[in-house]
Amino acid sequence: MSVAAVAIKLPEFWEEDPETWFIEAESQFTLANVVLDATKYHHIVKHITSKSTINVVWDIISNPPAQNKYEAIKQRLTSVFGSTLQTRVERLFSSQIGEMKPSQYLFHLKRLSFNTGLTDDALKTIFLKGLPSHMSSVLAIINQPLSEIAQYGDVMIKNEPVVNEVSQRDEKYEQLQQQIEHLTAAVKNLKPYHKNKPFVRPSNRSSSSDICWYHSEYGKNARKCNRPCRFSKN
């Protein structure tokens, strides 16, 4: 049987998430109208480059079965690298929103809960548990489908920076008010300062009424003179 040469764009195989990688591969096959088992198989082999992954499927790629090659390699990769049901359930119950938006977090939980048999009510409980407490307490009372509840959460996240900015401004204003009050109280408690001796302006004249104060103090070096003054420079 011939193999059709079809352009398929796939990333390298994801060991950490083989289920999602095969969903992407099969979507590409559908878009390119790839239906031949051998064509699918060789596209998968082409994108297996990791040595650890090659070791897992070495027996298949070295001696592929005559039929169902694609299913054989898909089953091997998903069974070895895929998460077990127990692992996914454990990850579900320990999930936290982190840096995701609520809607993104919900999609993450739905992905983990795929084929686990988890009910919508149980998923809602897990979803609310992983949110910040101030958000979950508000969203818990909304009687809407879970997807719409998550969108309400997105709106809350979007408005949080404004709320935080206002609260920070209020906090800074309160701190400034406190500082002003402390300074005002400190000024009121200050005692008036008095010099021991008041400043006395020197008299224009010396003790002798014939000679002015400047000549009395500086003699012939005086630069000023108050008349009348009988000081003689000789």
Side-chain angles (χ1 to χ4, degrees):
M1 183 179 293
S2 62
V3 177
V6 181
I8 298 293
K9 295 182 180 180
L10 281 175
E12 301 303 323
F13 177 72
W14 298 340
E15 292 185 1
E16 70 280 4
D17 193 358
E19 294 91 350
T20 304
W21 189 84
F22 272 102
I23 291 173
E24 172 69 17
E26 291 174 359
S27 177
Q28 292 285 333
F29 294 154
T30 300
L31 290 174
N33 199 26
V34 175
V35 295
L36 294 177
D37 176 66
T39 304
K40 293 180 180 179
Y41 165 80
H42 285 292
H43 275 298
I44 300 303
V45 173
K46 175 184 176 182
H47 291 89
I48 297 175
T49 57
S50 169
K51 185 176 180 180
S52 60
T53 308
I54 293 173
N55 288 337
V56 168
V57 294
W58 175 249
D59 59 325
I60 296 176
I61 63 178
S62 61
N63 185 25
Q67 295 180 344
N68 299 323
K69 298 179 181 65
Y70 171 72
E71 287 298 327
I73 199 167
K74 176 183 177 181
Q75 179 63 31
R76 176 69 61 81
L77 290 171
T78 54
S79 63
V80 172
F81 294 106
S83 301
T84 64
L85 177 60
Q86 180 180 354
T87 301
R88 281 190 289 151
V89 170
E90 289 174 353
R91 288 176 61 189
L92 262 172
F93 282 94
S94 62
S95 292
Q96 297 291 326
I97 189 170
E99 298 297 323
M100 294 181 283
K101 296 194 301 183
S103 58
Q104 294 173 326
Y105 179 52
L106 178 59
F107 289 134
H108 171 70
L109 295 179
K110 285 183 175 180
R111 175 181 163 191
L112 291 177
S113 63
F114 181 68
N115 283 341
T116 60
L118 201 69
T119 64
D120 290 342
D121 288 340
L123 187 62
K124 180 180 179 180
T125 300
I126 296 172
F127 171 74
L128 294 173
K129 178 178 175 292
L131 299 177
S133 57
H134 72 278
M135 183 181 294
S136 61
S137 59
V138 173
L139 298 182
I141 61 176
I142 299 177
N143 187 22
Q144 297 289 342
L146 188 52
S147 58
E148 294 185 20
I149 293 175
Q151 290 177 6
Y152 282 112
D154 289 352
V155 174
M156 292 180 67
I157 289 288
K158 184 179 180 180
N159 292 331
E160 272 187 349
V162 177
V163 175
N164 292 336
E165 184 180 349
V166 172
S167 63
Q168 288 174 2
R169 287 203 302 264
D170 290 344
E171 183 179 351
K172 289 180 180 179
Y173 177 74
E174 290 177 1
Q175 291 176 352
L176 183 59
Q177 264 193 328
Q178 291 177 358
Q179 291 175 1
I180 293 173
E181 290 173 359
H182 291 159
L183 286 172
T184 303
V187 170
K188 288 181 179 179
N189 292 330
L190 287 175
K191 294 181 180 179
Y193 175 74
H194 298 286
K195 292 184 178 180
N196 292 331
K197 294 182 179 180
F199 174 76
V200 178
R201 188 174 181 180
S203 172
N204 286 338
R205 303 189 65 84
S206 67
S207 57
S208 173
S209 60
D210 296 332
I211 300 174
C212 73
W213 180 85
Y214 293 101
H215 282 108
S216 176
E217 286 291 316
Y218 301 105
K220 63 180 181 179
N221 294 323
R223 295 184 179 182
K224 290 184 178 182
C225 178
N226 286 331
R227 300 291 181 179
C229 176
R230 299 186 61 184
F231 178 80
S232 176
K233 295 184 179 180
N234 296 328

